[in-house]
Amino acid sequence: MCSVEQNEIPDDEVGNIIKSKLTNDLIHGYCLFGKDDTCLPRYYETGAAAVEEFEIRNEDVIVASFPKSGTTWTQEMVWLLKNDLDYDRAKVEIYDRFPKFELPGLGNSRYDSGDLNRVNSIDELNACTGPRLIKTHLPFSLLPRQIRNGYKTPKIIFVMRNSKDTFISYYHMAQILWLWNVSKEELAKVYLADKVLYGPYWKNVLGYWNMRHLPNLLILRYEEMIKDLKSIIQRTCAFLELDPLTEEQLERLFTHLSFNSMKNNSAVNYEKVIKERKQYNPTGDGAFIRSGKVGGYKEEMSSELINKFDEWIKKNIENTDFNENYACFGHVE
Ligand code: A3P
């Protein structure tokens, strides 16, 4: 039974795009969950209570994000730091090393082609002994209650990325992984109406941003990772209370996490899943680790669409201390 408030998607223009273009054999329908009206597959209702009541451990580490913000990149860094830089064990697929909260098997790429055997990721996490590394795209407001009320303090690393690059990355990935057959303009309507899967983007980002005073929360920016990855590795290492890396260790991890290395690393580039999904959408083409740029949206968005995003950004960060320069352009000081 779902203990989390649940609302239906309105039956309007955006609702129709969702029904006709974002609904398929993989995701049969969507609902809005919790106080932020987070858009999730309807089947989340069968697992929402288990996430809410989940017994977290203080020694767990969570990597959280809005999709396409550099989650996998951050996961790979965190996994290696927490596992003594064991590059051999890092050859296992990232989704097998770093399970996701969302139930049942939502986006758990091993299992969710069609409706096949969705795994119960909460059972899987409960069965893990010792500290766990957990991925989630849930907003802070849908994290387990023990985290929200401060009863447990696992380390949380939230990675964010400017919303326009995130949108473009999301658009490309949705075609190959979620098999959505939707135009950029149609998807933008859904995104800007805050009804896109895992959205609203701003509730997700600001939900963590507003908690940044918590000592157990580290906020990273994709753009900073691009600019100075070594500093980010060192900052993350300190946050995780691990011994500082030697020069040699830092250099190797930096090289391992470079764009080209990640793009060619089958443990993190989702190539198996993309290949498997291709049978359902033979025209869908592309790579998960795609272009890795800051400001790439300028090549892929019309000026009209950029203006719409800018208005939406301004409206959403009004009365917050979120930096407009970063929010609009991804510029980091
Ligand atoms: P693009 O589609 O813009 O290239 P997530 O893991 O949250 O889904 O994010 C995926 C995005 O992170 C993709 O963005 C991907 O290319 C980018 N990414 C992954 N590894 C990267 C790296 N080493 N350097 C730069 N970008 C990386």
Side-chain angles (χ1 to χ4, degrees), residues 67-73 161 169 222 226 257-259 262 288-292:
K68 311 318 292 170
S69 302
T71 330
T72 315
W73 199 9
R161 184 180 191 186
S169 181
Y222 177 90
I226 293 275
L257 293 174
S258 71
F259 181 78
M262 292 272 296
F288 184 85
I289 312 240
R290 192 184 54 95
S291 81

Side-chain angles (χ1 to χ4, degrees), residues 140-245:
F140 193 86
S141 60
L142 286 181
L143 290 185
R145 186 185 300 134
Q146 292 184 338
I147 300 179
R148 296 197 322 270
N149 65 17
Y151 177 66
K152 291 283 174 65
T153 52
K155 289 192 174 12
I156 303 173
I157 300 178
F158 180 71
V159 57
M160 64 165 106
R161 184 180 191 186
N162 78 81
S163 59
K164 291 177 227 165
D165 284 332
T166 303
F167 168 73
I168 292 296
S169 181
Y170 192 109
Y171 165 69
H172 287 290
M173 189 220 52
Q175 297 171 55
I176 54 171
L177 277 188
W178 295 332
L179 310 176
W180 294 351
N181 190 2
V182 66
S183 73
K184 204 180 290 169
E185 288 67 29
E186 287 167 326
L187 187 60
K189 276 193 185 160
V190 183
Y191 198 90
L192 297 176
D194 297 330
K195 299 285 183 301
V196 83
L197 178 55
Y198 286 114
Y201 170 91
W202 285 108
K203 294 277 185 199
N204 191 301
V205 168
L206 289 170
Y208 286 93
W209 174 253
N210 291 334
M211 303 308 286
R212 67 192 183 283
H213 59 278
L214 293 176
N216 60 316
L217 173 63
L218 173 71
I219 296 196
L220 300 179
R221 290 181 164 98
Y222 177 90
E223 295 79 3
E224 280 180 306
M225 293 172 73
I226 293 275
K227 198 170 167 187
D228 188 359
L229 184 58
K230 282 188 184 167
S231 296
I232 296 289
I233 295 173
Q234 287 165 321
R235 200 194 300 168
T236 307
C237 191
F239 173 74
L240 294 172
E241 299 179 76
L242 300 167
D243 291 338
L245 301 185

